[in-house]
Amino acid sequence: MKQPTDGVMDRAREVRTRAYAPYSKFGVGAILVTPDGTTFGGCNVENASYGLAICAERSAAVSAVSAGYREFTEVYVAGPADVAVTPCGACRQFLSEFNRTMTVHCTTPDGIQTTTLDKLLPGAFGPDDLS
Protein backbone atom coordinates (compact mmCIF):
# COMPACT_ATOMS: atom_id res chain seq x y z
CA MET A 1 0.00 0.00 0.00
CA LYS A 2 1.35 3.43 -0.93
CA GLN A 3 1.83 5.87 1.90
CA PRO A 4 0.93 9.58 1.50
CA THR A 5 4.64 10.39 1.63
CA ASP A 6 5.55 8.13 -1.32
CA GLY A 7 5.38 10.82 -4.03
CA VAL A 8 7.83 13.13 -2.30
CA MET A 9 9.99 10.20 -1.24
CA ASP A 10 10.12 9.11 -4.89
CA ARG A 11 11.59 12.55 -5.65
CA ALA A 12 14.16 12.10 -2.86
CA ARG A 13 15.12 8.76 -4.38
CA GLU A 14 15.52 10.43 -7.78
CA VAL A 15 17.73 13.19 -6.33
CA ARG A 16 19.79 10.45 -4.69
CA THR A 17 20.85 9.28 -8.15
CA ARG A 18 22.75 12.58 -8.53
CA ALA A 19 24.88 12.05 -5.42
CA TYR A 20 28.62 12.37 -5.80
CA ALA A 21 29.83 9.57 -3.54
CA PRO A 22 33.01 8.07 -5.04
CA TYR A 23 34.48 7.23 -1.62
CA SER A 24 31.62 5.77 0.39
CA LYS A 25 29.50 4.63 -2.58
CA PHE A 26 26.56 5.58 -0.29
CA GLY A 27 24.31 8.03 -2.11
CA VAL A 28 21.61 9.91 -0.22
CA GLY A 29 18.89 12.23 -1.48
CA ALA A 30 16.74 14.67 0.48
CA ILE A 31 13.71 16.84 -0.19
CA LEU A 32 12.99 19.72 2.18
CA VAL A 33 9.42 21.09 2.28
CA THR A 34 8.37 24.65 3.20
CA PRO A 35 5.03 25.57 4.81
CA ASP A 36 3.63 26.64 1.40
CA GLY A 37 4.62 23.28 -0.16
CA THR A 38 7.69 24.51 -2.04
CA THR A 39 10.35 21.80 -2.15
CA PHE A 40 14.11 21.80 -2.44
CA GLY A 41 16.23 18.79 -3.25
CA GLY A 42 19.76 17.94 -2.25
CA CYS A 43 22.17 15.05 -2.50
CA ASN A 44 25.38 14.22 -0.71
CA VAL A 45 28.60 15.48 -2.27
CA GLU A 46 31.79 13.88 -1.01
CA ASN A 47 35.34 15.17 -1.13
CA ALA A 48 38.76 13.54 -0.77
CA SER A 49 39.12 15.70 2.35
CA TYR A 50 36.24 13.97 4.15
CA GLY A 51 35.43 16.92 6.41
CA LEU A 52 34.50 18.97 3.36
CA ALA A 53 31.72 16.59 2.30
CA ILE A 54 28.13 17.79 2.54
CA CYS A 55 25.14 15.62 3.33
CA ALA A 56 21.93 15.60 1.29
CA GLU A 57 19.87 17.26 4.02
CA ARG A 58 22.28 20.17 4.38
CA SER A 59 22.57 20.45 0.60
CA ALA A 60 18.78 20.84 0.35
CA ALA A 61 18.71 23.36 3.23
CA VAL A 62 21.47 25.49 1.70
CA SER A 63 19.57 25.52 -1.60
CA ALA A 64 16.36 26.60 0.16
CA VAL A 65 18.04 29.31 2.22
CA SER A 66 19.79 30.58 -0.91
CA ALA A 67 16.35 30.94 -2.50
CA GLY A 68 15.13 32.99 0.49
CA TYR A 69 13.32 30.34 2.55
CA ARG A 70 13.82 29.99 6.29
CA GLU A 71 10.87 27.86 7.42
CA PHE A 72 10.55 24.12 6.81
CA THR A 73 7.94 21.59 7.88
CA GLU A 74 9.26 18.26 6.58
CA VAL A 75 12.33 16.55 5.24
CA TYR A 76 12.39 13.33 3.23
CA VAL A 77 15.62 11.33 3.27
CA ALA A 78 16.28 8.46 0.85
CA GLY A 79 19.23 6.12 1.05
CA PRO A 80 20.00 2.70 -0.40
CA ALA A 81 16.94 0.42 -0.35
CA ASP A 82 18.54 -2.17 1.95
CA VAL A 83 19.57 0.26 4.71
CA ALA A 84 17.61 2.35 7.21
CA VAL A 85 18.73 5.97 6.83
CA THR A 86 18.19 8.91 9.16
CA PRO A 87 19.87 12.32 9.21
CA CYS A 88 23.34 12.26 10.78
CA GLY A 89 24.01 14.25 13.95
CA ALA A 90 25.37 17.25 12.06
CA CYS A 91 22.27 17.36 9.83
CA ARG A 92 19.97 17.01 12.82
CA GLN A 93 21.57 20.05 14.45
CA PHE A 94 21.66 21.95 11.14
CA LEU A 95 17.95 21.35 10.45
CA SER A 96 16.95 22.10 14.05
CA GLU A 97 18.13 25.67 13.45
CA PHE A 98 15.01 26.10 11.33
CA ASN A 99 12.40 23.88 13.01
CA ARG A 100 13.12 21.67 16.01
CA THR A 101 9.88 19.72 15.56
CA MET A 102 10.19 19.18 11.79
CA THR A 103 8.69 15.93 10.52
CA VAL A 104 11.36 13.54 9.23
CA HIS A 105 10.53 10.77 6.73
CA CYS A 106 13.29 8.21 6.10
CA THR A 107 13.64 5.15 3.94
CA THR A 108 14.12 1.76 5.55
CA PRO A 109 14.13 -1.77 4.13
CA ASP A 110 10.53 -2.04 5.40
CA GLY A 111 9.20 1.21 3.92
CA ILE A 112 9.09 4.78 5.13
CA GLN A 113 9.66 5.59 8.80
CA THR A 114 8.31 8.91 10.10
CA THR A 115 9.44 10.69 13.24
CA THR A 116 10.25 14.24 14.32
CA LEU A 117 13.53 16.06 14.59
CA ASP A 118 13.13 16.71 18.31
CA LYS A 119 12.87 12.95 18.88
CA LEU A 120 16.04 12.36 16.85
CA LEU A 121 17.90 15.22 18.57
CA PRO A 122 16.67 15.95 22.08
CA GLY A 123 18.29 18.98 23.64
CA ALA A 124 19.01 20.79 20.36
CA PHE A 125 20.07 24.41 20.66
CA GLY A 126 19.73 27.42 18.42
CA PRO A 127 19.89 31.20 18.26
CA ASP A 128 17.04 31.70 20.74
CA ASP A 129 19.06 29.79 23.34
CA LEU A 130 22.11 32.03 23.02
CA SER A 131 20.55 35.33 24.10
Side-chain angles (χ1 to χ4, degrees), residues 3-20:
Q3 299 178 26
T5 56
D6 284 346
V8 181
M9 189 60 81
D10 287 342
R11 291 187 50 220
R13 289 182 182 107
E14 193 277 322
V15 172
R16 178 181 176 272
T17 67
R18 299 183 204 146
Y20 177 73

Side-chain angles (χ1 to χ4, degrees), residues 5-66:
T5 56
D6 284 346
V8 181
M9 189 60 81
D10 287 342
R11 291 187 50 220
R13 289 182 182 107
E14 193 277 322
V15 172
R16 178 181 176 272
T17 67
R18 299 183 204 146
Y20 177 73
Y23 305 100
S24 72
K25 310 284 192 255
F26 194 89
V28 178
I31 299 290
L32 196 57
V33 183
T34 69
D36 69 5
T38 302
T39 60
F40 293 89
C43 60
N44 58 316
V45 179
E46 296 179 349
N47 188 280
S49 176
Y50 293 142
L52 297 180
I54 185 167
C55 297
E57 301 90 329
R58 287 182 282 148
S59 176
V62 168
S63 178
V65 169
S66 295

Side-chain angles (χ1 to χ4, degrees), residues 39-118:
T39 60
F40 293 89
C43 60
N44 58 316
V45 179
E46 296 179 349
N47 188 280
S49 176
Y50 293 142
L52 297 180
I54 185 167
C55 297
E57 301 90 329
R58 287 182 282 148
S59 176
V62 168
S63 178
V65 169
S66 295
Y69 289 84
R70 301 284 189 278
E71 296 179 32
F72 311 108
T73 57
E74 299 176 277
V75 65
Y76 292 76
V77 184
D82 60 338
V83 179
V85 176
T86 63
C88 72
C91 287
R92 293 173 190 196
Q93 178 60 45
F94 196 91
L95 293 174
S96 75
E97 185 85 5
F98 302 102
N99 179 353
R100 292 181 190 178
T101 61
M102 182 184 309
T103 302
V104 180
H105 307 279
C106 302
T107 56
T108 75
D110 299 321
I112 298 171
Q113 175 187 32
T114 299
T115 188
T116 58
L117 199 53
D118 58 334

